[in-house]
Amino acid sequence: QAQLVESGGGLVQAGGSLRLTCAGSGRTFGNYAMGWFRQAPGKEREFVATITFNAEHTAYADSVDGRFIISRDNTKNTGWLQMNRLKPEDTAVYYCAATSAGGARVVGLYDYWGQGTQVTVSS
């Protein structure tokens, strides 16, 4: 079973960058597509980005497309979300997730979730 732990969140000014890390465990990590989701107070958890198990395909929410980059290295059991040109509306708890599907935008299709890491972007 996959276990995921996010790190790298923090406070950053608008226009700045952060790199989130998703550390996975188990030799089956590479069998799962990964996704990043975020949840702001009073809002539903929303899709941010996803990457297939072999990192050949990625997809992004329109709100972050062109600013965020998702990546992974299965030999390290690790994924990343590089966030650039951050905006105050990016403020949320960010979650790493894994799914046996090839890639998905839907929360309910993900089997494993990390604990979340807070990202706060000041104006």
Side-chain angles (χ1 to χ4, degrees), residues 102-121:
R105 299 170 177 261
V106 181
V107 169
L109 294 180
Y110 283 79
D111 303 299
Y112 303 99
W113 295 85
Q115 83 289 350
T117 185
Q118 176 71 47
V119 172
T120 302
V121 184

Side-chain angles (χ1 to χ4, degrees), residues 31-46:
N31 293 333
Y32 292 85
M34 284 179 44
W36 287 93
F37 293 78
R38 65 188 183 187
Q39 188 166 22
K43 299 289 187 178
E44 294 185 348
R45 192 167 299 187
E46 68 173 348

